[in-house]
Amino acid sequence: MTDPLSRTTESAQADAVLIAASLDDPERFAALFDRHAPTIHQYVARRLGRDAADDVTAETFLIAFRIRARYDSGRAAVRPWLHGIAAKLISRHRREEVKALRLLARTGHDPVAESWTDSADDRVVAQAASRPLAKALAKLSEGDRHALLLAAWADFRYQEIAEALDIPVGTVRSRLNRARKKMRAATSAHSPLNESFEPHASEGGLA
């Protein structure tokens, strides 16, 4: 059986080769879009809703294409690079995001929250937990919210979050620890949504 880490490494190397090849043959970059756009779109949709996700995803890859010559092939993977670009674009919508979270905290309903869980059964739990969750997310600083949601919704490890946000790993740890404490205080300790904000299991002693 192939080691999952080996598959990830092979995929990252393939992405780096693809980006390098696209410098001479720009059409090769389309394969990178096909491979990663669905993941970027899903993440942005969770943050801003599906309508905004279409535009942000398209702009993310447009920017990535324009700056592809500056891509560091020594990176562990291309996903943090793409999510980092998307995070900067999401920051332009931070007022809309916070406004939507506050609306959800007050009313218990918002279309964006419908994408927080994948199954109808989970949405029953989400409906009960979403109001305090949204209130707590709205109160986080932008940097803490980026770090927390990259961990929870992009399933990023500490190093990947650091690469995406261009900050030291120590800063990632501080942001996540601070954000998780606030989320635990605001939501039930037994809520599946709350558990999703825990760090990736493979981080071991970093938690």
Side-chain angles (χ1 to χ4, degrees):
M1 181 180 294
T2 305
D3 183 4
L5 182 59
S6 297
R7 290 199 300 269
T8 300
T9 301
E10 291 172 2
S11 177
Q13 292 172 342
D15 286 337
V17 170
L18 197 59
I19 292 174
S22 75
L23 295 176
D24 294 324
D25 183 3
E27 292 185 1
R28 296 286 298 277
F29 197 84
L32 197 75
F33 178 89
D34 293 340
R35 186 177 301 170
H36 296 288
T39 301
I40 296 294
H41 189 278
Q42 181 182 42
Y43 176 73
V44 178
R46 282 182 159 186
R47 297 287 300 269
L48 301 175
R50 290 183 175 85
D51 291 341
D54 293 342
D55 293 337
V56 171
T57 300
E59 190 170 359
T60 294
F61 282 89
L62 178 60
I63 293 173
F65 178 79
R66 288 174 176 170
I67 66 172
R68 68 193 189 282
R70 302 205 303 264
Y71 177 75
D72 180 6
S73 60
R75 279 174 171 265
V78 75
R79 287 182 63 228
W81 180 60
L82 294 172
H83 275 79
I85 296 172
K88 291 179 180 178
L89 295 173
I90 289 171
S91 292
R92 298 180 185 176
H93 297 265
R94 61 184 179 277
R95 291 183 179 178
E96 292 91 336
E97 181 180 31
V98 171
K99 182 179 179 180
L101 289 169
R102 288 174 176 169
L103 178 64
L104 175 57
R106 290 197 306 271
T107 67
H109 175 73
D110 186 85
V112 175
E114 293 177 0
S115 64
W116 286 7
T117 53
D118 296 326
S119 72
D121 290 341
D122 284 343
R123 289 196 181 104
V124 176
V125 178
Q127 185 175 5
S130 61
R131 294 180 70 174
L133 180 66
K135 184 176 181 179
L137 283 172
K139 289 183 177 180
L140 292 179
S141 69
E142 184 182 9
D144 288 358
R145 189 161 57 247
H146 277 321
L148 183 68
L149 296 182
L150 283 171
W153 289 345
D155 199 28
F156 275 9
R157 299 174 175 85
Y158 286 76
Q159 182 60 42
E160 291 172 317
I161 297 171
E163 289 186 9
L165 301 180
D166 195 22
I167 57 177
V169 172
T171 302
V172 173
R173 294 176 186 170
S174 297
R175 289 184 181 183
L176 287 178
N177 286 336
R178 182 168 56 242
R180 288 200 307 270
K181 288 178 181 178
K182 293 180 179 179
M183 301 309 294
R184 290 194 187 104
T187 62
S188 169
H190 301 293
S191 168
L193 287 176
N194 193 44
E195 292 172 5
S196 73
F197 291 112
E198 291 299 312
H200 196 283
S202 66
E203 289 302 328
L206 291 177

